[in-house]
Amino acid sequence: MAENNDDQERTEQPSEKRLREAREKGDIPRSRDLSGAVVVLAGVATLISGGHQSLEHIRRIYGFGLSYGRDALFSDELPARILNMALHEAMALLAPVALATLLAALAAPILLGGLSFSAQALEPKLERLDPISGLGRIFALRGLVELAKSLAKLLLIGTVLVMVMKNWQDDLMATGRGEVGAGMVMSFGLLGHAALLFGSILALIGGADALYQKFDYNKRLRMSRQELKDESKESDGNPELKGRIRQLQFQMARKRMMQELPKADVVITNPTHFAVALRYDEGRMGAPRVIAKGVDELAQQIRLVASSHRVPLVEAPPLARALYATTQLDREIPASLYVAVAQVLAYVFQLKQAAVRGDDPPPKPKPEIDPDLMGPYKF
């Protein structure tokens, strides 16, 4: 009952972290039936595709035991020589099949869970030697399902093969009444078709088993809502610690911003609620860059620091709000504000020239700004 209640509580899909940890332990969905079907089909397909060469190798193996002279019959070297030649022919016959089945065995896991090499899966686990636990696994639901699958496979494959043998009974009997070569060809063909049929049935069973294994794997790794919350806290860290880290990061960024402020060419203000400092180096920058910005109290500090370092303050409320809304710190302004900012920078340059010559200050610019650029600060 406790296990059932636990399964009912685990209603959430497994997280990426849980899936990754399971893979690191070597726990990934696997279907032995699907892997077996792929291996069998690969071997059978290789044999059938090379049917003529395979028959030739088999004929030679039989011939080695039947074709020898009288002198060779009484020679001590005959058994070794025949065995050696037969082994060479057998290796030539089975090598393509072995290579195909080896590649299929390596590729089959990719169809379901992918390749996984885990050192943790190789570690010895003493609890597996416990006979009581072993009996528990055998009589558990998963063990009963595996038993039912094995019986179903045995019944299905056995029934189909018996029906095939009955259907081919006359052909099988005919192989012993004709020529040896023709009998070998027929026997080899019947064997190939039977093996192909067996592999096809196993592939159907493996496909169904793969779907079940995927479902069972996902079910085993499902999580409760509390586990998801605990994992989220573990991954994200302590909220108080994160808040403290963010506060320290903000303070450091603010300190760096104030240190860069004396290098600004101009500070554009709202005049009281917003302040944005711009710097433009024609040789290194493609456009003016925001090196400091703030609202309310921080805006007041920016104005005070700028005034103490004789950085010009220019009132342009719409432009100040648009710069604050559109441009992140230490980023270049968008192209849509080039003209407006150029007017302000030209005004600052003219203001410095007028101060040097003792002329009257130029009129303040009033750049036109698209209200949509101000974002939430339109009003």
Side-chain angles (χ1 to χ4, degrees):
M1 292 296 292
E3 183 179 355
N4 293 336
N5 292 335
D6 186 59
D7 289 338
Q8 292 176 0
E9 292 177 1
R10 299 177 184 273
T11 57
E12 306 300 320
Q13 294 297 321
S15 64
E16 291 296 329
K17 181 174 181 292
R18 191 179 186 95
L19 292 173
R20 184 174 63 255
E21 290 177 348
R23 178 174 288 274
E24 290 174 354
K25 295 177 181 177
D27 185 7
I28 55 178
R30 284 284 182 262
S31 173
R32 297 179 181 177
D33 295 330
L34 182 61
S35 299
V38 173
V39 171
V40 170
L41 288 175
V44 172
T46 304
L47 277 175
I48 293 178
S49 62
H52 179 72
Q53 291 85 352
S54 300
L55 284 174
E56 185 64 23
H57 290 305
I58 294 174
R59 187 190 64 78
R60 290 175 183 174
I61 292 174
Y62 275 104
F64 292 148
L66 300 175
S67 59
Y68 45 84
R70 182 175 181 280
D71 295 336
L73 180 63
F74 294 97
S75 173
D76 295 336
E77 299 178 356
L78 177 62
R81 181 168 57 85
I82 292 178
L83 180 60
N84 184 44
M85 291 187 296
L87 286 176
H88 279 81
E89 292 294 334
M91 290 179 62
L93 170 66
L94 299 177
V97 179
L99 179 60
T101 53
L102 176 61
L103 295 177
L106 294 175
I110 301 178
L111 299 176
L112 188 58
L115 294 176
S116 176
F117 300 95
S118 174
Q120 298 185 31
L122 300 177
E123 295 178 357
K125 296 182 179 180
L126 298 179
E127 60 269 18
R128 292 181 178 176
L129 302 178
D130 187 357
I132 299 178
S133 300
L135 289 174
R137 288 193 298 270
I138 292 175
F139 293 102
L141 178 60
R142 188 171 294 107
L144 296 177
V145 170
E146 293 297 328
L147 177 61
K149 283 166 46 184
S150 300
L151 293 176
K153 285 189 294 183
L154 179 63
L155 180 62
L156 178 61
I157 295 175
T159 301
V160 172
L161 291 182
V162 168
M163 293 175 62
V164 169
M165 298 298 288
K166 286 185 176 181
N167 187 43
W168 291 348
Q169 183 177 1
D170 295 338
D171 294 333
L172 290 173
M173 297 299 295
T175 58
R177 295 194 294 266
E179 296 181 355
V180 175
M184 290 177 58
V185 172
M186 184 176 293
S187 299
F188 190 79
L190 293 176
L191 180 62
H193 284 84
L196 186 60
L197 181 61
F198 170 74
S200 301
I201 297 172
L202 197 59
L204 293 176
I205 297 174
D209 182 62
L211 295 177
Y212 170 77
Q213 294 296 338
K214 193 74 173 179
F215 167 78
D216 183 65
Y217 179 79
N218 187 71
K219 181 180 178 182
R220 285 191 293 108
L221 295 183
R222 279 189 305 191
M223 306 173 67
S224 65
R225 293 186 177 181
Q226 184 61 41
E227 287 177 329
L228 282 176
K229 291 180 181 179
D230 294 341
E231 183 181 286
S232 178
K233 289 181 180 179
E234 181 181 350
S235 301
D236 296 340
N238 190 322
E240 296 180 358
L241 180 59
K242 288 182 63 180
R244 177 60 178 166
I245 292 175
R246 283 196 299 267
Q247 182 180 3
L248 291 175
Q249 290 174 340
F250 174 75
Q251 292 176 354
M252 294 174 63
R254 185 170 176 175
K255 183 178 180 180
R256 288 194 303 268
M257 186 174 67
M258 292 302 179
Q259 291 174 348
E260 292 292 321
L261 189 54
K263 303 177 183 178
D265 294 315
V266 64
V267 173
I268 302 175
T269 65
N270 193 44
T272 56
H273 295 293
F274 291 84
V276 179
L278 298 177
R279 182 169 182 262
Y280 180 53
D281 186 342
E282 186 175 358
R284 295 191 302 170
M285 299 179 186
R289 179 171 296 180
V290 173
I291 62 173
K293 68 175 187 175
V295 295
D296 298 331
E297 181 183 350
L298 183 55
Q300 181 180 2
Q301 293 183 13
I302 291 174
R303 291 194 300 271
L304 291 175
V305 174
S307 298
S308 64
H309 289 85
R310 297 183 179 180
V311 177
L313 303 178
V314 178
E315 288 187 18
L319 179 57
R321 294 198 296 269
L323 286 169
Y324 189 88
T326 60
T327 312
Q328 296 294 327
L329 191 64
D330 201 29
R331 293 290 186 273
E332 294 181 355
I333 65 172
S336 54
L337 295 177
Y338 281 0
V339 175
V341 171
Q343 294 175 9
V344 173
L345 291 177
Y347 166 74
V348 171
F349 177 77
Q350 295 171 3
L351 190 64
K352 291 180 179 180
Q353 293 296 321
V356 172
R357 293 193 298 262
D359 298 337
D360 294 333
K364 291 184 179 181
K366 296 181 180 179
E368 296 182 0
I369 303 298
D370 184 355
D372 291 336
L373 295 175
M374 303 179 196
Y377 310 112
K378 291 181 181 179
F379 308 102

